[in-house]
Amino acid sequence: MDVNYQYLMKPILNWWQAITELSTNASLTITLWLVITVLLISLLVILTLVRRLKTCKSLLTFSATPTLVLDVKKGSILYSNTAITDIFDQENSNTSHIVAQCCFERLSHLAEQTAITTDVFHIKQLKKTLRFSAVQINYQRRRAWLCQIDHIGTNSSAISPWDVDGQIVNNLFSSNSAFVHIKTLDGLILNCSPSWAAQFGQSVEQVSGHFEHDFYSSSKIEQIKSYEKAVVAGDIQEYEEWNTADDNNILLQTMKYPLYDEHKKIVAILTVSNDLTEVMELNERLLNENGEHLRIEAELSRHNSLLNSVINATPDPVAFMNGDGKYVGANLGYCEVLGVEHADLIGMDRTLLLNQDKKVWLLEQENQLLLDGKSVRYEELLHLADQEPRWYEICKQRYVNHTNGENGILIVYRDLTERKRIEYDLEQAIEKFDELSSVDQLTKIANRRTFDTKLQHYWSTHHREIKQMSLLFCDVDSFKLYNDNYGHPMGDIVLAKIAQVMNDQVHRGADLVARYGGEEFAVILPNTDEEGAIRLANKIIKAVQGLAIEHAYSKAAKHVTLSIGIASMCPEHESSEALLLEHSDKALYMAKENGRNQYCVYAEKGHDQEMAELNFDLLKS
């Protein structure tokens, strides 16, 4: 309300004039004059201050910025405007007290400072995330905080300095298999990888803006704080621990890094956890060796300290380049893979590092990636300088720089060497197992299992192609007497030598010599008629005789001999391979009955020829 000073001063001056006329003492008059002048000036100053105070209150009251004035010592509200409740779209007087309490809790340990700028906190009761600035003032002769508050929601890109590179970090998180999250010093989650959020059954959007204690138990939080004492002091913390995810126990290797702002002040903590369970289990199954895990030292490569810390902390080589194919960022691991110094790599054209034989393919691939945005994954064996070749999975994704709208490519290398080694060892083990399960260990030729499989296979193919096949069924003569008189070790040597000479007589790749059991051997001859089988049987009998192994107790000769039964037939639909085996066994029986050390060919009854055709030349020898 305005004050009319002319009406106020007129009675005062009249009163003063009356006083001076009555006074006869000049010194008393001067003194009264001075006192009254001081009173008038004081009154004018008070009126001016009152008017300014009312103006300031009006400005704060009608300001759209939520404002609170808090007592420095007690935290009580000295003043608040209506924007505090308006920002939450609710008419609740308790809102101001909730916000005031949260602000005072954060300011209580900063009483010695005169100003606080851009502090962020989350109010769980209101489900809001706020940013506020505060300055100390004198309000009604009391020390107070003047707080101005802004509601910023829970989007991490609004509360962290990632506006330019946020999409690069998000792409890096999404392409990383590790559990990664970034939080403020008081536990507010700024960003995380999908795998970290998934372990709580949440998405990245649902997790961001909440505090770490919303997801962990109080005992787990205390354990985390004990690990982070060194991190808050500026050190990198590393440890391993067993954790539970989806009702499974997993071994996590965790690295914690301090993150700095532009003033070199620690403002957040980056946590990267890698699942070592699979590597540990595979190594225990094979060589019981500990897998080597690459750790990349942090190195600033760009002005954004948060982005560089994330990239350099990632346990994979990482780089990104602009749409023109020039590198704009990389970590130390990527430089080591390419064999290029970091200072030389930044700004380098991608084509200078491409092999000529792959240059066209890679350029077409990256141009297509920039065009349609579809990520690319492939494996490549890289020959590093002064190192053994290593396998890498290369992942490329497109990102958009929101500052200028340009597209770029994020490149992530994942070391697959250990996994490839384990896969190779498993393949070798499987091949060795297959070999052991198909070869007779004494004679080093095919065993009974392989014989049965091959005989069934050839029977089916010859029936389909209407071709003839033959089978030789062989037995060492008087072998029991040999074992009884010369001993089983000598008998094993004899069987191994016979198997070797039999195998030497077979020259076709499809033919198979197998140990059927004990002193019995069999030879499968696909696409072979009776005449061809007889020729081979004759060669085998003579080769065994040529060994000249003494056998004084044999009923056939003074050395080790062999009897062979021969059967040949064209497989028919109503018969099976067992019939061919039965025929050759019967022919072997006839060879034994007729004096051993000979072959006999099976013939059907009713033919003009006898049941078996004997090799009389061998009988005479």
Side-chain angles (χ1 to χ4, degrees), residues 266-362:
I266 298 177
V267 295
I269 296 175
L270 167 68
T271 302
V272 181
S273 298
N274 292 283
D275 186 354
L276 301 183
T277 310
E278 182 178 357
V279 174
M280 183 193 69
E281 291 176 349
L282 288 174
N283 284 340
E284 287 179 352
R285 287 175 55 192
L286 296 172
L287 302 176
N288 196 23
E289 298 176 347
N290 293 324
E292 181 182 5
H293 182 70
L294 297 177
R295 301 175 182 89
I296 301 174
E297 297 294 334
E299 177 187 15
L300 292 177
S301 60
R302 299 189 65 198
H303 296 296
N304 190 319
S305 61
L306 289 180
L307 177 61
N308 285 306
S309 297
V310 171
I311 292 176
N312 285 291
T314 302
D316 295 316
V318 178
F320 48 95
M321 58 186 181
N322 59 25
D324 297 329
K326 294 184 178 180
Y327 286 98
V328 294
N331 63 4
L332 183 60
Y334 189 87
C335 297
E336 290 177 351
V337 169
L338 296 186
V340 180
E341 294 293 332
H342 185 270
D344 298 331
L345 182 66
I346 303 304
M348 182 183 292
D349 194 300
R350 169 86 161 133
T351 57
L352 298 178
L353 300 175
L354 298 179
N355 294 329
Q356 293 300 319
D357 55 340
K358 296 182 179 180
K359 184 174 182 179
V360 174
W361 175 72
L362 287 173

Side-chain angles (χ1 to χ4, degrees), residues 591-610:
K592 291 283 188 180
E593 288 291 314
N594 287 280
R596 300 179 177 85
N597 191 24
Q598 59 186 280
Y599 65 81
C600 181
V601 180
Y602 176 83
E604 292 286 351
K605 291 182 179 180
H607 289 192
D608 294 337
Q609 58 186 12
E610 295 294 333

Side-chain angles (χ1 to χ4, degrees), residues 30-82:
I30 294 172
T31 301
L32 289 173
W33 174 262
L34 291 175
V35 171
I36 293 173
T37 301
V38 171
L39 290 174
L40 290 175
I41 293 174
S42 300
L43 181 61
L44 289 174
V45 170
I46 291 172
L47 292 174
T48 302
L49 292 176
V50 169
R51 185 175 182 183
R52 288 185 179 179
L53 182 59
K54 289 183 177 181
T55 302
C56 291
K57 281 190 174 182
S58 298
L59 291 174
L60 291 176
T61 301
F62 295 105
S63 171
T65 302
T67 304
L68 284 175
V69 178
L70 306 178
D71 186 274
V72 169
K73 295 183 178 180
K74 300 180 180 180
S76 57
I77 300 176
L78 303 179
Y79 174 80
S80 66
N81 64 358
T82 57

Side-chain angles (χ1 to χ4, degrees), residues 412-450:
V412 179
Y413 279 48
R414 186 165 298 142
D415 195 338
L416 302 180
T417 308
E418 184 69 11
R419 195 190 80 184
K420 289 286 187 181
R421 182 189 67 79
I422 293 172
E423 290 176 352
Y424 175 78
D425 289 345
L426 285 174
E427 291 175 358
Q428 293 298 310
I430 292 172
E431 290 180 3
K432 184 66 176 177
F433 175 78
D434 290 341
E435 179 182 349
L436 293 174
S437 63
S438 61
V439 175
D440 179 68
Q441 294 304 299
L442 174 63
T443 61
K444 305 305 179 184
I445 61 175
N447 60 13
R448 172 69 178 274
R449 174 176 173 268
T450 305

Side-chain angles (χ1 to χ4, degrees), residues 470-474 521-525 533 536-537 540 564-567 584:
S470 297
L471 178 65
L472 306 185
F473 203 55
C474 314
F521 297 89
V523 183
I524 302 176
L525 301 173
L536 180 60
I540 291 175
I564 301 176
I566 304 173
S584 61

Side-chain angles (χ1 to χ4, degrees), residues 201-220:
Q202 304 285 328
S203 65
V204 174
E205 292 76 13
Q206 291 173 319
V207 168
S208 297
H210 288 272
F211 283 90
E212 202 172 42
H213 59 67
D214 293 335
F215 307 102
Y216 291 124
S217 63
S218 56
S219 59
K220 180 67 174 179

Side-chain angles (χ1 to χ4, degrees), residues 366-384:
E366 291 168 358
N367 290 335
Q368 186 65 31
L369 173 60
L370 290 171
L371 183 64
D372 57 26
K374 294 182 179 179
S375 61
V376 177
R377 291 178 185 269
Y378 59 92
E379 296 179 1
E380 186 173 354
L381 180 64
L382 299 181
H383 298 270
L384 309 181

